[in-house]
Amino acid sequence: MNALKYEDYRDAGGLIFPRIMTGYQFENDSTRRISYQVSFSDVFLVNEAMDDDLFAMPEKNAVAAN
């Protein structure tokens, strides 16, 4: 099980977003260690819908992020 912590909130066009998201392993009612950390920068909002192809699963190979 994971627990998420959101930190360092910033204003992006009138909406507030966290700059950092940290995922912790959650075990026996406590956080054990950091599983991952993601940082967001240069957040911007658009009024147009994004192309569905952007979210499509690749037909071949796997995609992995460090």
Side-chain angles (χ1 to χ4, degrees):
M1 184 181 288
N2 286 322
L4 296 176
K5 180 180 180 184
Y6 299 93
E7 304 174 78
D8 197 11
Y9 288 85
R10 304 290 171 95
D11 185 307
L15 294 175
I16 307 300
F17 289 90
R19 193 180 69 80
I20 300 171
M21 178 178 70
T22 306
Y24 294 88
Q25 285 186 346
F26 189 76
E27 190 176 295
N28 298 326
D29 293 331
S30 66
T31 53
R32 293 290 176 199
R33 65 181 178 89
I34 293 176
S35 297
Y36 58 88
Q37 189 169 63
V38 177
S39 61
F40 304 95
S41 63
D42 301 324
V43 174
F44 66 94
L45 305 173
V46 296
N47 289 324
E48 301 83 30
M50 300 181 91
D51 187 1
D52 287 341
D53 290 342
L54 179 66
F55 301 101
M57 179 70 89
E59 290 182 27
K60 294 182 180 180
N61 302 326
V63 177
N66 294 337

